[in-house]
Amino acid sequence: MKTLKQILHLAGAITFIGAYLTADSESWRLIHVYLGYGFGIIFSLRLLIGLVLRTSMAFQTIWMRANLFKTIVQDLKDLKLERLCKWQIWYGSGMGILVFLMYLLSIPLVLFGIMTYEEFGGKWFIKFSENSHEFIGEFYLSIVLIHLVLIFGKYLLLNWKNQPI
């Protein structure tokens, strides 16, 4: 199951980055659309796996990590400083929230993209779909970048702690 997760993760990253890079070019529009469809299919598979199987991709697991934020808020209220200094809780909560947002935003991102490409609705709705698709895509990119910064930060922190003095 870990290999499937890694394959879907890599394919999702490649299709999203490819779609993002081809978004502003009219000559690359069809490639952008196909990459967007691929992204939608990949995230649909991830959503199905998250609903059915008990893996690290399961919604229950992601929701539990995102809910660590409640623990942080309660620790802030109770001034439990030693617990607040544990970076693992902050990291788990942050990653849970980011991954949950990625799952949540992938649906309107793809749907607004399809509505824009298929010119669904009148002029106003097409423009609304296009603007929404672009806004969500930019917001999604910022979430991905924060996700990568957290991973890199964890890597640096763990390697820094394991360095001999």
Side-chain angles (χ1 to χ4, degrees):
M1 192 54 58
K2 186 176 181 178
T3 305
L4 176 62
K5 177 184 175 185
Q6 291 171 340
I7 290 169
L8 290 175
H9 195 260
L10 181 63
I14 290 169
T15 55
F16 178 77
I17 291 167
Y20 186 82
L21 293 174
T22 58
D24 292 331
S25 171
E26 194 59 39
S27 58
W28 293 88
R29 184 171 187 193
L30 198 56
I31 292 172
H32 174 78
V33 169
Y34 286 141
L35 288 168
Y37 285 142
F39 180 78
I41 291 167
I42 291 161
F43 252 90
S44 296
L45 288 171
R46 287 192 72 153
L47 288 170
L48 288 172
I49 291 169
L51 288 171
V52 176
L53 300 176
R54 299 264 185 239
T55 66
S56 61
M57 289 188 287
F59 284 130
Q60 184 179 9
T61 305
I62 295 167
W63 185 248
M64 284 177 11
R65 290 182 83 187
N67 269 333
L68 285 173
F69 188 72
K70 287 182 183 177
T71 305
I72 293 170
V73 171
Q74 190 59 45
D75 289 345
L76 282 169
K77 287 179 183 176
D78 299 339
L79 290 174
K80 293 183 180 178
L81 297 179
E82 78 178 47
R83 282 182 50 92
L84 287 170
C85 291
K86 293 185 178 181
W87 66 269
Q88 294 93 339
I89 295 173
W90 291 88
Y91 178 81
S93 172
M95 287 301 254
I97 291 168
L98 291 173
V99 172
F100 187 76
L101 275 173
M102 283 190 259
Y103 273 83
L104 191 66
L105 290 175
S106 65
I107 298 166
L109 178 65
V110 172
L111 290 179
F112 280 128
I114 291 170
M115 286 187 261
T116 300
Y117 180 68
E118 297 295 333
E119 297 181 349
F120 180 79
K123 284 184 181 180
W124 179 86
F125 191 75
I126 293 169
K127 192 65 178 168
F128 173 77
S129 297
E130 183 179 348
N131 290 339
S132 299
H133 178 69
E134 188 173 329
F135 175 79
I136 294 170
E138 296 289 336
F139 186 60
Y140 200 97
L141 178 64
S142 66
I143 292 169
V144 168
L145 292 175
I146 294 168
H147 178 71
L148 293 173
V149 166
L150 284 176
I151 292 169
F152 185 67
K154 178 183 175 184
Y155 174 78
L156 287 178
L157 184 65
L158 290 177
N159 282 336
W160 174 70
K161 280 186 164 186
N162 293 332
Q163 292 296 322
I165 295 177

